[in-house]
Amino acid sequence: MDKQTILASLTPEVVDKFRMAIELGKWPDGRKLTAEQRETCMQAVMVWEHEHLPPAERTGYIHKPVKEDGSIVGAECDVEHEHHYPNMPNPKGAVQPIKFRDK
């Protein structure tokens, strides 16, 4: 599956169900999530959030403190760098796409 196919099938309601399943480790009917299902749900949630939510509202967002001079601590690392993707080629400034496994 590619990113656009996944995004087209996701609704806010589905994403909320995925979040709940990830959090509880089981589906609404009580069946346990497999490791693969958990990974797939996490990837889907991250892709959806990246397309639909501002950074501060995404899962895993960490607020950066502001220095006395008004600058943000760690702002220099908001740009994509090669060290963010140690196992993937990453041309300067390019954001790496999430790759989904075909089944």
Side-chain angles (χ1 to χ4, degrees), residues 3-90:
K3 178 181 166 185
Q4 293 308 319
T5 304
I6 292 169
L7 283 171
S9 65
L10 293 176
T11 64
E13 295 78 20
V14 170
V15 172
D16 285 341
K17 287 182 182 183
F18 283 178
R19 283 190 194 113
M20 184 66 71
I22 293 164
E23 183 177 335
L24 299 176
K26 60 184 176 180
W27 294 109
D29 66 3
R31 290 179 295 132
K32 186 177 177 178
L33 250 71
T34 66
E36 186 175 6
Q37 289 171 332
R38 184 182 181 101
E39 182 180 327
T40 301
C41 286
M42 285 180 169
Q43 289 178 351
V45 168
M46 288 188 299
V47 168
W48 186 87
E49 287 180 350
H50 190 269
E51 293 293 320
H52 294 93
L53 298 178
E57 293 179 25
R58 296 178 194 156
T59 301
Y61 173 77
I62 298 174
H63 173 74
K64 295 179 183 169
V66 178
K67 297 179 188 176
E68 288 183 18
D69 67 2
S71 63
I72 297 173
V73 175
E76 66 278 357
C77 216
D78 285 343
V79 177
E80 299 293 337
H81 298 284
E82 287 84 5
H83 69 266
H84 290 164
Y85 304 97
N87 298 320
M88 301 170 108
N90 184 26

